[in-house]
């Protein structure tokens, strides 16, 4: 532990012109007294650390000293590719590896390039969770993530409605979607998707598995996400839309379903004499369609099913009464 801290101190001093004891204590998560002792140990080991006194003082390396301890470990190299998603790194337990990797890369750069990481961080930030949500990382995520990195089988208990099932999984990859973590895993020669927050227990099975080299996580997720979206759209609504309503439709309901409906309607005959387009839209349910399509206002007319049309007619009458 102390050896790793001493190496990190050298890398910090190598990547910056000078650092105060308070700065080093903050970066290393120790006290300033511990920083003083570590500096003394480095000096005794032959590392030329010099202390500048005064208000602008601090610790620095003398004479352009450079350590060769910059080789990336495997976990650090993997974490480096995720450095643009710091929240995900923390939740998977890779924050320390990522920090060490960035320090090593910074130490290996020319002095005039060492501010590149800070410059990028001030210009790009990925905020994965959706609005109005306080995401809580699943407690078992680090254990699952470790198995994913290590290609190690896991035995998992998974909550499904009111029951729990136990499966032995080959964890292939993790996906963070709108603040929710999912696991893509192979079970009984079939790839499936599991929500991490529904795992009741996870244990390493003790054996490694051989990855299918043809498995493509982004392509697999895109296909399953599209299947999931289609599976939700179980009912149909017939709409008559103004030109403005056609443009608004993808913003009030499922975008892919809206685009498919309008494209099919144009191929079938296009707008009527008044410029309105009649479309058949796939929706999750009549209740969901009612809440979504109200946003179209007078730019859309529900033609079917009859029950939904009557609900819109009643809503229109109530709205007209308010403005009478």
């Amino acid at each position: 532990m102390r050896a790793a801290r001493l190496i990190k101190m050298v890398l910090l001093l190598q990547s910056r012109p000078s650092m105060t004891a308070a700065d080093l204590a903050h970066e290393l998560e120790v006290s300033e007294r511990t920083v003083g002792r570590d500096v003394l140990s480095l000096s005794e080991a032959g590392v030329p650390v010099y202390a500048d006194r005064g208000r602008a003082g601090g610790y620095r390396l003398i004479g352009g000293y450079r350590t060769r301890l910059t080789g990336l470990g495997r976990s650090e190299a993997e974490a480096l590719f995720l450095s643009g998603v710091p929240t995900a790194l923390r939740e998977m337990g890779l924050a320390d590896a990522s920090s060490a990797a960035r320090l090593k890369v910074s130490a290996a750069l020319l002095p005039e390039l060492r501010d590149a990481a800070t410059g990028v961080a001030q210009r790009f930030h990925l905020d994965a969770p959706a609005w109005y949500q306080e995401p809580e990382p699943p407690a078992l995520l680090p254990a699952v993530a470790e198995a994913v990195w290590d290609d190690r089988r896991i035995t998992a208990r998974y909550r499904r409605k009111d029951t729990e099932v136990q499966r032995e999984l080959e964890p292939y990859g993790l996906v963070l979607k709108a603040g929710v973590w999912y696991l893509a895993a192979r079970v009984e020669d079939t790839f499936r998707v599991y929500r991490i927050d529904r795992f009741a227990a996870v244990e390493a099975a003790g054996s490694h598995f051989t990855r299918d080299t043809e498995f493509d996580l982004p392509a697999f997720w895109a296909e399953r996400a599209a299947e999931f979206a289609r599976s939700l759209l179980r009912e149909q609504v017939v709409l008559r839309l103004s030109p403005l309503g056609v443009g608004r439709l993808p913003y009030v309901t499922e975008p892919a379903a809206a685009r498919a409906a309008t494209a099919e309607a144009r191929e079938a005959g296009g707008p009527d004499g008044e410029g309105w387009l009649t479309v058949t839209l796939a929706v999750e349910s009549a209740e969901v369609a009612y809440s979504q399509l109200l946003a179209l206002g007078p730019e859309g007319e529900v033609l079917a099913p009859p029950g939904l049309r009557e609900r819109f007619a009643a809503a229109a009458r109530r709205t007209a009464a308010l403005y009478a």
Side-chain angles (χ1 to χ4, degrees), residues 75-133:
S75 64
E76 295 166 348
E78 291 169 336
L80 187 61
F81 289 99
L82 288 170
S83 58
V85 281
T87 302
L89 284 167
R90 287 194 299 271
E91 294 179 2
M92 287 190 293
L94 292 173
D96 290 342
S98 176
S99 175
R102 288 195 301 272
L103 272 174
K104 290 182 178 182
V105 170
S106 179
L109 293 173
L110 294 173
E112 59 268 24
L113 298 178
R114 287 177 188 160
D115 64 345
T118 303
V120 170
Q122 295 303 320
R123 289 167 174 80
F124 176 78
H125 175 70
L126 177 62
D127 185 9
W131 287 106
Y132 312 117
Q133 292 184 3

Side-chain angles (χ1 to χ4, degrees), residues 5-321:
R5 189 175 71 242
L6 292 174
I7 292 172
K8 186 174 182 178
M9 178 181 286
V10 174
L11 292 172
L12 283 167
L13 293 172
Q14 184 173 310
S15 63
R16 306 176 193 182
S18 177
M19 294 186 69
T20 66
D23 291 338
L24 285 168
H26 175 73
E27 291 283 351
L28 299 172
E29 299 180 351
V30 296
S31 67
E32 292 187 31
R33 181 173 296 182
T34 299
V35 168
R37 289 197 296 265
D38 286 351
V39 167
L40 181 60
S41 297
L42 288 174
S43 297
E44 292 174 349
V47 178
V49 182
Y50 180 77
D52 288 318
R53 305 293 181 182
R55 291 181 59 187
Y59 295 104
R60 62 183 176 86
L61 294 174
I62 301 175
Y65 176 85
R66 298 182 64 81
T67 177
R68 295 181 181 275
L69 297 173
T70 55
L72 291 176
R74 181 175 182 83
S75 64
E76 295 166 348
E78 291 169 336
L80 187 61
F81 289 99
L82 288 170
S83 58
V85 281
T87 302
L89 284 167
R90 287 194 299 271
E91 294 179 2
M92 287 190 293
L94 292 173
D96 290 342
S98 176
S99 175
R102 288 195 301 272
L103 272 174
K104 290 182 178 182
V105 170
S106 179
L109 293 173
L110 294 173
E112 59 268 24
L113 298 178
R114 287 177 188 160
D115 64 345
T118 303
V120 170
Q122 295 303 320
R123 289 167 174 80
F124 176 78
H125 175 70
L126 177 62
D127 185 9
W131 287 106
Y132 312 117
Q133 292 184 3
E134 292 294 334
E136 295 183 5
L140 296 174
L141 176 61
V144 176
E146 183 177 356
V148 170
W149 290 119
D150 203 27
D151 291 343
R152 187 179 296 276
R153 292 183 179 87
I154 59 174
T155 300
R157 291 208 316 272
Y158 189 75
R159 289 185 291 268
R160 180 176 295 171
K161 295 183 179 180
D162 297 329
T163 62
E164 285 187 5
V165 295
Q166 182 166 304
R167 295 283 187 271
E168 183 171 302
L169 308 176
E170 295 179 356
Y172 265 65
L174 293 167
V175 176
L176 177 60
K177 172 72 171 178
V180 179
W181 284 95
Y182 297 88
L183 172 69
R186 184 166 61 184
V187 53
E188 299 175 356
D189 295 326
T190 301
F191 286 100
R192 298 180 182 177
V193 175
Y194 298 87
R195 277 185 61 145
I196 303 295
D197 58 6
R198 292 181 183 169
F199 282 125
V202 171
E203 294 181 4
S207 60
H208 294 270
F209 65 90
T210 302
R211 280 181 167 265
D212 181 348
T213 57
E214 296 184 359
F215 178 78
D216 184 333
L217 180 59
F220 169 79
W221 177 258
E223 180 182 346
R224 289 304 173 91
E227 288 179 2
F228 177 73
R230 288 193 298 268
S231 71
L232 293 177
L233 308 179
R234 303 182 182 91
E235 299 184 25
Q236 290 186 331
V237 172
V238 181
L239 297 170
R240 185 168 173 264
L241 300 168
S242 71
L244 184 57
V246 171
R248 286 183 181 175
L249 189 62
Y251 297 97
V252 302
T253 187
E254 207 284 317
R259 289 191 292 268
T262 53
E264 183 178 339
R266 288 194 175 99
E267 291 179 1
D272 59 21
E274 297 178 356
W276 287 54
L277 187 68
T278 299
V279 305
T280 300
L281 176 69
V283 297
E284 184 175 345
S285 67
E287 188 64 35
V288 171
Y290 177 75
S291 63
Q292 292 176 336
L293 298 177
L294 275 176
L296 292 175
E299 306 304 327
E301 177 189 3
V302 174
L303 302 179
L308 184 60
R309 177 178 173 83
E310 178 53 35
R311 288 189 68 182
F312 272 86
R317 289 192 293 269
R318 292 198 305 271
T319 303

